[in-house]
Amino acid sequence: MVKRLIQHGNSVALVIDKPIMEMLKITNETTFELSTDGKNLILSPQIEQTQEINILNSLEKINKKYGTVLKRLGE
């Protein structure tokens, strides 16, 4: 898909189509981290802090319950 930047006041904007937003589960309220590798622009939705905490808590529970088994599988 090829897109062009559009004029938005003194700045420019990139319009993201609704089907893409739905696929990525983002809204106009989503915050993004903007980075570059020197050639490409990388736009990443930020994970909500509560989601990140939930993920870390789940990983901790998994490690407590299955840590030794996972360690043996990794050997």
Side-chain angles (χ1 to χ4, degrees):
M1 171 184 298
V2 176
K3 300 290 273 182
R4 288 184 182 223
L5 297 174
I6 61 168
Q7 190 69 38
H8 185 73
N10 290 332
S11 301
V12 292
L14 178 66
V15 176
I16 302 172
D17 298 326
K18 189 171 182 173
I20 301 292
M21 291 178 66
E22 289 172 351
M23 180 180 66
L24 296 174
K25 297 179 182 165
I26 60 173
T27 67
N28 58 343
E29 301 296 323
T30 303
T31 57
F32 292 88
E33 182 178 336
L34 187 63
S35 59
T36 182
D37 61 4
K39 184 176 179 182
N40 298 300
L41 184 64
I42 303 165
L43 186 67
S44 304
Q46 287 187 320
I47 296 177
E48 291 184 27
Q49 193 169 8
T50 55
Q51 287 178 324
E52 187 173 344
I53 290 169
N54 290 341
I55 291 169
L56 292 174
N57 287 338
S58 295
L59 286 173
E60 188 175 323
K61 288 178 187 177
I62 290 168
N63 278 329
K64 282 182 182 177
K65 189 170 184 176
Y66 301 108
T68 55
V69 174
L70 291 171
K71 189 177 263 187
R72 280 191 269 144
L73 283 172
E75 293 175 350

